[in-house]
Amino acid sequence: MAELAGYVAVNSLGLGHASRAIAIARELQRRHPDVYLFFLAGSPALDLAVSHGFDAMPLPPTPEWFHEDGRIHSMWRWYWEYARYVRFATRFLRKEADWDRFRFLISDGEMASVRLAVKRRIPTVVLAHSVGQRFGGGLATRAFEATGRWWMRSLLAAKTVRVLALEPGVDLPNATYVGPIVRPFSFSRERLRDDLVFRKRTVLVAPGGTSLGAFLIDEAIRAWRDLHTEDAQMIVVTGPKIPAPKAEGVFWKGFVPNLQDYVCAADLVITMAGKGTMYEALAAGTPVIAIPLKGHPEAERNLRAANLPYAYEDAFRLRDLIPAKLAEPHPPPRDLGPAKAVAAIEDFLAGQGVPL
């Protein structure tokens, strides 16, 4: 019997999309060991997929937002760059993708692959938090957003597509709400603390896989120096896009493939309000300070859904917030595993004639 193979395509703006897709891919392979999954991703998502043992083909990197000190600006320029990315990635995949061998596509936010899969009637699962973006702003930005929503809706409404909604309110008839998804932790918190040699209370600063959180690292270090907390340590994970500053009194790490284990082992996590590290902290039951980017509607929705009371301005109040959060007991962990999403994928592919 021929091996069943499928593509897993991920948006490479940060590492949240790739982390979620890896959780789903691993659960699929646990249930169906004979299924071969091949990742399509730009850097740094490509590196994360490969570090977890998946074969992968490089796509062009998704353009990063224009930002300064945690504030997003010039969204019309980003939409222009993103449209160029989709055109370039589409041309690349037309030449390189093997749709005869790979019989289905799972896409986490990567729309060039969806565009081609729909055209070729390939069964496609799309993980989406919304249909298009709504950053608002000037006339050019709103025009780009309106066009983008129309384009995305036309693709997602295809008969060969099933949408797995990460947030409520995705108003498509083929959408199934699955909620946030994170990678499972390797071991218990106690075992991870021992393996990572966390002998003191540990504050983990991990703003994500883009350069957007550089300002948060600066503010966290400034607050930590002022606090002079002798019975605790701060570990800063800069990720692949932020260079490590030459600062004393904290421990530095760059690209960490198993960041979810550090999150589980920590006593407090300071991060951005995305769907990656923030939700890993909620899944682990680790106290978290999650700072939204200024003017980012998705981050604000994430905070409301998680019942976390933070705002952009709290990045400049960490001297007060850190000791208060360290004094709190750990909240109960939440089940944010991929089981529901994988069950929906199995059901959809079986209905499309691709039984796993």
Side-chain angles (χ1 to χ4, degrees), residues 8-14 16-21 24 40-42 45 59-63 65 78 82 85-86 89 93 105-115 124-133 151-152 155-156 162-164 166 275 298:
V8 180
V10 296
N11 185 308
S12 60
L13 180 57
H17 297 274
S19 297
R20 187 164 49 235
I24 290 171
L40 307 172
L59 289 181
T62 309
W65 286 312
W78 183 84
Y82 182 75
Y85 156 79
V86 171
L93 288 171
L105 169 69
I106 300 171
S107 173
D108 194 318
E110 204 299 301
M111 297 307 295
S113 57
V114 175
R115 184 184 190 184
T124 300
V125 176
V126 179
L127 285 95
H129 58 82
S130 62
V131 180
Q133 301 280 11
W151 176 72
M152 190 172 179
L155 287 179
L156 298 185
R162 170 66 60 83
V163 177
L164 302 186
L166 303 170
K275 286 187 173 65
E298 181 188 344

Side-chain angles (χ1 to χ4, degrees), residues 248-306:
E248 298 181 355
V250 299
F251 298 97
W252 297 96
K253 291 186 176 293
F255 174 68
V256 178
N258 62 327
L259 182 61
Q260 79 277 17
D261 290 339
Y262 282 77
V263 169
C264 183
D267 295 279
L268 172 63
V269 173
I270 301 174
T271 188
M272 307 299 289
K275 286 187 173 65
T277 307
M278 183 185 82
Y279 276 111
E280 288 174 346
L282 295 176
T286 302
V288 60
I289 298 171
I291 304 299
L293 292 168
K294 191 72 171 180
H296 194 320
E298 181 188 344
E300 294 166 1
R301 293 197 305 270
N302 290 340
L303 289 169
R304 289 195 297 270

Side-chain angles (χ1 to χ4, degrees), residues 11-64:
N11 185 308
S12 60
L13 180 57
L15 295 172
H17 297 274
S19 297
R20 187 164 49 235
I22 287 167
I24 290 171
R26 281 193 158 174
E27 178 63 13
L28 269 172
Q29 289 188 325
R30 187 189 69 80
R31 299 186 188 192
H32 309 281
D34 295 332
V35 173
Y36 176 63
L37 298 174
F38 188 84
F39 272 68
L40 307 172
S43 180
L46 175 77
D47 306 303
L48 189 64
V50 171
S51 72
H52 281 76
F54 291 99
D55 294 332
M57 180 167 66
L59 289 181
T62 309
E64 192 168 291

Side-chain angles (χ1 to χ4, degrees), residues 183-249:
R183 291 173 291 175
F185 309 107
S186 300
F187 302 104
S188 68
R189 181 174 184 272
E190 291 73 21
R191 165 75 181 274
L192 288 171
R193 286 184 65 84
D194 188 57
D195 289 351
L196 296 172
V197 197
F198 284 7
R199 301 296 183 230
K200 296 181 177 182
R201 291 186 300 164
T202 299
V203 178
L204 179 70
V205 182
T210 71
S211 63
L212 293 161
F215 85 103
L216 185 58
I217 289 177
D218 293 340
E219 293 301 327
I221 293 173
R222 187 175 294 113
W224 191 249
R225 285 174 168 174
D226 290 344
L227 288 169
H228 303 290
T229 307
E230 297 295 333
D231 64 340
Q233 63 180 352
M234 175 173 280
I235 297 177
V236 178
V237 178
T238 59
K241 296 288 186 72
I242 302 173
K246 297 183 182 301
E248 298 181 355

Side-chain angles (χ1 to χ4, degrees), residues 86-104:
V86 171
R87 290 195 297 270
F88 188 82
T90 299
R91 288 197 299 267
F92 175 82
L93 288 171
R94 282 197 187 110
K95 295 179 180 179
E96 301 297 336
D98 184 357
W99 297 108
D100 293 326
R101 179 187 177 193
F102 294 90
R103 297 179 55 195
F104 64 90

Side-chain angles (χ1 to χ4, degrees), residues 7 18 53 146-147 198 271 306 345:
Y7 282 128
T147 302
F198 284 7
T271 188
I345 292 170

